[in-house]
Amino acid sequence: MNDAAPEPTPAPAPRRARVRAPELIGKGGWLNTGGKELTLADLRGRVVILDFWTFCCINCLHVLDELRELEEKHRDTVVIIGVHSPKFVHEAEHAAVVDAVERYEVHHPVLDDPELATWKQYAVRAWPTLVVIDPEGYVVAQHAGEGHAHAIARLVEELEAEHEAKGTLRRGDGPYVAPEPVATDLRFPGKALQLPGGTFLVSDTTRHQLVELAADGESVVRRIGSGERGFGPDAFSEPQGLALLPDGRVVVADSVNHALRTYDPATGLVETVAGTGRQWWQGSPTSGPALETDLSSPWDVAWWEGRVWIAMAGVHQLWTWDPETGTVEVAAGTTNEGLVDGPAAEAWFAQPSGLAAAGDRLWIADSETSALRYVLAGPEGYVVESAVGTGLFDFGHRDGDAAQALLQHPLGVTALPDGSVAVCDTYNHALRRYDPATGQVTTLATDLREPSDAVLAGDDIVVVESARHRLTRLRLPEEAVRVDAVAHRTQRAATEVAPGTLRLDVVFRAPSGQKLDTRYGPSTRLLVSSTPPELLAGGEGAGTDLFRELALNPDVTEGVLHVSAMAASCDDDPANEYPACHVHQQDWGVPVRVTADGAARLPLVLAGMDDEG
């Protein structure tokens, strides 16, 4: 950022627009309501928060956690409704949404909207998006991305006071009805490893525990952790990745605690070795003492090149933890979401979720780009390359040459003895194989249910079938399974834009009681790029204004605009010398199609309402 750049004076906040909230419709029906279909009329008198989410999206999972405190504090006045709006084909399957609601402990009603009907009615453009509806049924605020819980909590208090005075607030129990619990030894397990004695250690993610299973992969030997969500010496919060350290301890990616923990199988001791329990935000340190540096949703870990490498899904990066020095640092990635190869510091990832070390390569399951990638250790430093996958919006199940092969949201990768790798192709319910020697992708097994990790055990491979709540032992086949090829694109319809100049407006209004934070220069940032790069003839790059004139290339008729915006605001209280400050951020991938009668303006709401919309 250029600290000398003048900060634009924000316009005074307008009166709240009176926009009637569209009805809630979705072919998949309602979950967590005891079978009742809800309408907005049923919710009149309550503050309603619509959470547009999809279960693949790490930012959506962050928002679920952000909303838990607000949901509990205002349970008699606020109703949160999750509107599940799928990106991937698998996410449009009703059974998968049912699983996700249990997996992530969603304790409010959820509308399953597989055709994005309600998404379109509310003109949503990004996951996650929060929409606030007042007790009279009017939309009063919209927020894209994460980090808005504080602003929404303030707005809820204002709406409670306003409608209490008007007599339009209705208190009481909400419409949430908890589903019946199901008894299984594991519940949505995430990752696994084989301990030296032949037993298996599994992260039992939804039960917030580690579970040691006997060598048969079924019999429970012991459970580690209380089973209650927490951050104490006997508690985890949705643990995921596991890696064996040279000293015999196991390092655990404790995803919702934003921390690394170690578990000593010999003593049973659990210790925190990295992370503070707080989520990393833009502007936070990217290196330093491990226990003083924030992390963001670590999803997997691997021992490689003398350090623990961390798939930092929450910020689309790889970090490392060095047990010798007790420090962490960014090793690859810029925090921008996408697929860009090259020197590690310049690469883009999209929710890296699986790691496997193999010689001079660290393999990566890059889930949101449906890609298999790797870090290569070379004489001039680390370089990131892609083996399978092309970007955020193309996915499917296609074998053959890696350049045209397709995966669908893979979460795990396992190095095989012959130099190839097995990929847990999670949303295709398959185990795939990539052979660097031939450049070919094949399918090893199908009819798995959301496989999220796999472990070699002798001549067998043991797969974590997350949505079947079990480990499944397979013999590595001599020949691949034949699968008819399918290819998909994300279900979102392209936005039609006019040729020539496109005005991009990121709408941001500092929440009530806050102002833009200008203490250290400009408080906003905007980064724009496109796929293909030729889509933009001008306007790409970084700047500090939240608007941009984009020149569209007349020779390119469709593509994706990648927009990343950030705004910082602080509590506006002159009496407080150290006001609390907040970062609002979101990345959009907007498919666009150039047509003669398309729009000349593209508004993206970060926070507030689009007065020109």
Side-chain angles (χ1 to χ4, degrees), residues 32 71 392:
N32 284 355
E71 192 168 23
L392 286 165

Side-chain angles (χ1 to χ4, degrees), residues 12-280:
R15 293 175 61 86
R16 289 196 189 114
R18 300 286 285 176
V19 179
R20 177 65 73 179
E23 193 50 82
L24 306 177
I25 52 176
K27 271 199 168 182
W30 288 88
L31 305 176
N32 284 355
T33 63
K36 177 180 173 62
E37 293 193 6
L38 298 181
T39 67
L40 286 176
D42 298 328
L43 304 173
R44 197 63 49 84
R46 314 296 288 271
V47 178
V48 177
I49 300 172
L50 303 182
D51 176 15
F52 289 87
W53 69 299
T54 188
F55 64 78
C56 72
C57 161
I58 191 66
N59 310 92
C60 299
L61 303 186
H62 290 166
V63 167
L64 285 175
D65 291 316
E66 288 178 4
L67 292 176
R68 293 186 200 279
E69 182 179 347
L70 183 146
E71 192 168 23
E72 179 62 29
K73 183 177 179 181
H74 299 273
R75 61 190 311 165
D76 66 333
T77 59
V78 170
V79 175
I80 297 176
I81 302 288
V83 183
H84 189 268
S85 313
K87 170 186 174 180
F88 290 99
V89 169
H90 169 58
E91 293 174 310
E93 298 174 14
H94 183 70
V97 181
V98 173
D99 283 346
V101 167
E102 180 190 351
R103 181 195 298 263
Y104 297 115
E105 297 183 298
V106 180
H107 293 165
H108 50 249
V110 173
L111 175 63
D112 181 10
D113 182 18
E115 297 179 345
L116 304 182
T118 295
W119 164 289
K120 294 170 186 172
Q121 288 274 21
Y122 281 82
V124 174
R125 295 185 186 275
W127 297 281
T129 291
L130 298 170
V131 175
V132 182
I133 302 171
D134 74 11
E136 294 179 287
Y138 291 94
V139 175
V140 293
Q142 181 170 328
H143 300 264
E146 50 185 300
H148 301 293
H150 59 282
I152 291 176
R154 174 74 176 256
L155 176 58
V156 164
E157 291 173 356
E158 292 178 359
L159 291 171
E160 285 175 341
E162 176 185 336
H163 288 274
E164 188 93 80
K166 290 174 67 175
T168 50
L169 185 71
R170 178 167 58 89
R171 295 181 181 270
D173 292 335
Y176 170 67
V177 178
E180 290 293 322
V182 182
T184 53
D185 285 333
L186 302 173
R187 207 70 194 157
F188 300 104
K191 305 287 186 181
L193 63 77
Q194 190 169 35
L195 294 171
T199 60
F200 293 94
L201 189 66
V202 185
S203 55
D204 196 15
T205 304
T206 297
R207 293 228 176 98
H208 314 297
Q209 290 182 315
L210 308 181
V211 177
E212 186 177 350
L213 301 178
D216 63 7
E218 297 180 10
S219 307
V220 175
V221 175
R222 76 189 69 180
R223 295 182 180 275
I224 301 97
S226 65
E228 298 294 326
R229 187 189 294 271
F231 193 33
D234 191 35
F236 299 93
S237 189
E238 299 184 27
Q240 285 284 348
L242 307 167
L244 195 62
L245 297 175
D247 63 9
R249 292 180 299 162
V250 176
V251 62
V252 183
D254 197 3
S255 67
V256 176
N257 278 327
H258 309 294
L260 297 188
R261 322 288 293 280
T262 55
Y263 162 64
D264 189 339
T267 65
L269 183 65
V270 175
E271 293 184 283
T272 301
V273 294
T276 63
R278 297 183 301 270
Q279 183 183 337
W280 185 94

Side-chain angles (χ1 to χ4, degrees), residues 146 258 278-287 293-297 314-315 317 319 330 335 585:
E146 50 185 300
H258 309 294
R278 297 183 301 270
Q279 183 183 337
W280 185 94
W281 287 98
Q282 289 285 354
S284 301
T286 55
S287 64
T293 306
D294 298 342
L295 309 180
S296 182
S297 297
V315 286
Q317 290 179 312
W319 287 42
V330 174
T335 76
Q585 62 186 66

